[in-house]
Amino acid sequence: TVLRYDLPLARAGGRGRLVIRGDSQLVIKQMKGEWLVSEPRLQQRHALSQARLRALGVSAEWEHVDASANWIADELAHRAITA
């Protein structure tokens, strides 16, 4: 969900490496290509996210973090969604 809001913002930085942290091990492993995305609707979102990263010209480093350490990201995502 957050990728929809954050990737357009990353465009301003461009070029280089983008570190993306998330508390969903499933999503992180899918984005890294370690696990398959089996649901068709999620396959479309996965492909779109990967395409946006390529369009930005950045390499992505995906990191799984414990949910308890990710409360700031949860708060920012909530603000973005409800704004």
Side-chain angles (χ1 to χ4, degrees), residues 23-71:
D23 58 19
S24 170
Q25 184 178 32
L26 172 67
V27 171
I28 296 297
K29 288 193 175 278
Q30 287 174 331
M31 294 306 293
K32 290 170 79 173
E34 295 175 6
W35 290 355
L36 293 177
V37 181
S38 56
E39 185 171 328
R41 190 186 60 152
L42 296 179
Q43 288 173 344
Q44 292 174 348
R45 290 183 180 181
H46 177 268
L48 179 59
S49 295
Q50 295 290 13
R52 286 180 175 171
L53 286 169
R54 283 191 300 277
L56 288 172
V58 298
S59 63
E61 180 179 330
W62 298 90
E63 294 181 4
H64 177 256
V65 296
D66 186 73
S68 64
N70 206 26
W71 66 271

